[in-house]
Amino acid sequence: MNLHEYQGKELFAKFGLPVSNNAVVTSPDDVLSACRDIGGDKWVVKAQVHAGGRGKAGGVKLVDTPEEAIEFANHWLGNRLVTYQTDSNGQLVSSILVEECTDIAKELYLSAVIDRGTQRIVFIGSSEGGVNIEEVAEKTPEKIIYEPIDPLTGPMGFQARKISKVLGLDNEQSKQFSKMLSQLTKLFISYDLSLLEINPLVITQGGKLHCLDAKINIDSNAIYRQPEIQAMRDLSQEDPREAEAAKSDLSYVSLDGNIGCMVNGAGLAMGTMDTIKYFGGSPANFLDVGGTATQERVSKAFKLILADPEVKVVLVNIFGGIVRCDLIAEGILAAIEEVGVSIPVVVRLEGNNADIGSDILAKSNAAIESLNNLEEASKKAVELSK
Amino acid sequence: MSILVDKKTRLLVQGFTGSQATLHSEQSIEYGTNIVGGVTPGKGGQKHLDIPVFNSVHEAVEEVEPNASIIFVPAQFCKDSILEAADAGIKLIICITEGIPTLDMLIVKKKVDELDVTLIGPNCPGIITPGEAKLGIMPGSIHMKGSVGIISRSGTLTYEAVKQTSDLGLGQSTCIGIGGDPIPGTSFIDVLKMLEADDQTKAIVMVGEIGGTAEEEAAEYIKDNVSKPVISYIAGQTAPAGKRMGHAGAIIAGGKGTAADKIKKLKECGVHIAENLLQIGTKTKEVLG
């Protein structure tokens, strides 16, 4: 799960990390008082969406008057922002962050992730900030430092000094950084983060470190124990079908093809998508219906798949392990009747009692092609999708 | 021979009286697995499936001497359950549960390494040595004693590989699902090492998927350390970037972890690639000659 920048900065402020004076507005009417409360004669207004690349897309602006800020709010609130990280529909802007303007001397980069290789929280720092870090890693790897944190000790002073050196900090800044590193680690662990990124972390004209951006992702597996984070969830930023699927405890990702896929198991679901592509078709979605594939779950899965108007045929691929295929077949038939599926359905059942299951499907009146072999089933689905 | 488990394995089931644990314990017993006890705090002293239930792993160890434990408890209690089994001296722990917070696994992994415990999973189907013992949720009937060792990050894809190698008469030595999480207890490399040393294993099937660099690291290891033929299939060739594909670990992040990168590296290191999941069995047969 992702947070908005303003939510990330709330958490930063709570942990004593330096962020700009700011206010969040959801209506142009509130912009003037926000500017006055913040003070000064220059402000930065930033559209709040769950996507990077906002600056280049016009979603961030430096303004000299409250009127300009109001104009920005009028333009973006209720509109959709398209960046290189969003799809062509973009993301809905329902709030705007108004901040005091910071005088920047230098832009740096800092992030923390759970690194799968070292199996540690790793901090990544670079003297090149405000740019795409993957490009820096590729072109000038010497400007990046990766510092893993031992879960037993937490971040040590020497590690802060190592990172400071790569960031090019002076003595005073290095001391400030050491405190930041410790606070960021506490924040990371307290809220079960999977990613924390400050791009850019800046040195102000006054020589202080300052967090100009805040990108935070939270480990989905840990949301259950993070009530504060649950309250920050913004469903308008998520794909509606994916959000609906999550409510039913199904894993669903929408894609741009026309063959709907319903599979048990995440790996096999990916494998089925690959197989469709291999035979010249195009999958409309990833969907893991789960190990048990009960009628209830299959019904929900059909509803999700059929909500996509592009879908011309549904390929159901179930490897019945512990659950018998004849029971799964009955569940599929009941679900098709319940949901009222009117497009062709190709079913491949394999495993325990697969023959009996296929027989049940073949004898039904529903428009089902039942094939035990995944190759034939995939080819059939591709043929029906053309 | 086989690896890690056989007829002599004495299994303990944690979360024994729950519905999933009950179903899969029945299936495992039917397969021939020797389940010596179960743990459900508060239900000690009872019998379940005619097997004694204990309040703690320590009590079970004292009374029935298990040498492996399988965990079915809910995700929020897994850290405690794994560390309890490790503390009680059990050296092989299999965690089936999906959805454990990654930061919990970070601590668990460090601790089990320190105690020299083999943890398989979490978020995995378990381990089976066909004809000997089944410690997991895989359907026993598709397996056949044979010569192919199988390692996989995915449950149902493992079953595909098993079915195909059984249908072609090759059979399996031992199959291990290492699980779909970002921090698995056991890596591809750990299992490759064991299968390389196992006489019964003549070829190794490694089923990977998008996300992380475990397959690339395994490829490097295979190049220098594995003499047996390795056949690999990578799922997620059509997966979009930045989306979690069911498994917590199956995500292409920052352009890293694509199927194409993994396949390229595996090929460079001499691994045979099954381009499609339908070809896992035939490719293995072809390589074995």
Side-chain angles (χ1 to χ4, degrees), chain A residues 11 66 149 158 166 209 219 282 294 314 335 352:
Chain A
L11 298 184
I149 304 300
F158 77 89
V166 175
L209 288 168
D219 174 12
S282 181
T294 57
V314 181
N352 203 350

Side-chain angles (χ1 to χ4, degrees), chain A residues 80-83 85-91:
Chain A
R80 300 184 81 87
L81 180 67
V82 179
T83 81
Q85 283 189 2
T86 69
D87 62 16
S88 56
N89 287 323
Q91 297 285 91

Side-chain angles (χ1 to χ4, degrees), chain B residues 168-236:
Chain B
L168 292 170
L170 298 169
Q172 306 85 33
S173 51
T174 298
C175 310
I176 298 186
I178 60 169
D181 273 5
I183 299 188
T186 295
S187 69
F188 279 134
I189 294 174
D190 297 330
V191 183
L192 285 165
K193 207 177 288 178
M194 292 185 253
L195 290 173
E196 170 71 9
D198 170 46
D199 290 342
Q200 189 185 332
T201 304
K202 302 295 176 216
I204 300 166
V205 168
M206 181 171 90
V207 180
E209 64 188 28
I210 56 161
T213 52
E215 290 80 2
E216 286 90 331
E217 286 148 26
E220 279 291 337
Y221 181 83
I222 290 165
K223 190 173 72 178
D224 300 327
N225 302 286
V226 179
S227 62
K228 296 174 182 176
V230 181
I231 299 91
S232 185
Y233 167 69
I234 305 294

Side-chain angles (χ1 to χ4, degrees), chain B residues 11-160:
Chain B
L11 183 65
L12 182 72
V13 181
Q14 288 175 257
F16 189 37
T17 53
S19 64
Q20 286 298 307
T22 303
L23 169 69
H24 294 295
S25 295
E26 280 171 338
Q27 302 258 343
S28 294
I29 293 165
E30 199 177 303
Y31 196 80
T33 308
N34 183 17
I35 298 183
V36 295
V39 172
T40 299
K43 294 195 177 172
Q46 301 179 8
K47 285 224 167 186
H48 182 63
L49 307 178
D50 225 20
I51 290 166
V53 182
F54 301 93
N55 283 322
S56 72
V57 179
H58 292 80
E59 284 172 31
V61 165
E62 187 116 312
E63 298 290 327
V64 293
E65 297 175 357
N67 57 9
S69 182
I70 187 164
I71 294 176
F72 286 98
V73 307
Q76 57 266 46
F77 308 120
C78 279
K79 181 181 175 185
D80 187 40
S81 294
I82 297 168
L83 295 180
E84 181 184 358
D87 187 66
I90 291 179
K91 294 296 180 195
L92 175 63
I93 302 171
I94 297 122
C95 184
I96 303 297
T97 311
E98 177 174 6
I100 301 177
T102 312
L103 287 176
D104 283 4
M105 271 311 296
L106 204 87
I107 304 291
V108 165
K109 175 64 175 152
K110 191 169 165 73
K111 198 68 195 169
V112 294
D113 284 353
E114 204 178 291
L115 295 170
D116 200 23
V117 165
T118 299
L119 169 66
I120 294 173
N123 190 10
C124 80
I127 170 169
I128 181 169
T129 295
E132 301 268 328
K134 170 173 120 77
L135 285 66
I137 59 172
M138 63 290 279
S141 62
I142 56 173
H143 295 78
M144 177 184 138
K145 195 179 178 95
S147 61
V148 183
I150 299 180
I151 332 164
S152 170
R153 281 169 68 186
S154 148
T156 38
L157 270 180
T158 317
Y159 310 162
E160 288 285 349

Side-chain angles (χ1 to χ4, degrees), chain B residues 212-273:
Chain B
T213 52
E215 290 80 2
E216 286 90 331
E217 286 148 26
E220 279 291 337
Y221 181 83
I222 290 165
K223 190 173 72 178
D224 300 327
N225 302 286
V226 179
S227 62
K228 296 174 182 176
V230 181
I231 299 91
S232 185
Y233 167 69
I234 305 294
Q237 296 167 30
T238 49
K243 293 274 189 185
R244 169 175 154 168
M245 307 300 278
H247 288 155
I251 181 163
I252 299 169
K256 297 273 169 59
T258 65
D261 282 355
K262 291 175 187 295
I263 291 168
K264 181 164 171 273
K265 182 73 185 179
L266 288 162
K267 276 186 180 162
E268 280 169 16
C269 294
V271 173
H272 306 274
I273 297 292

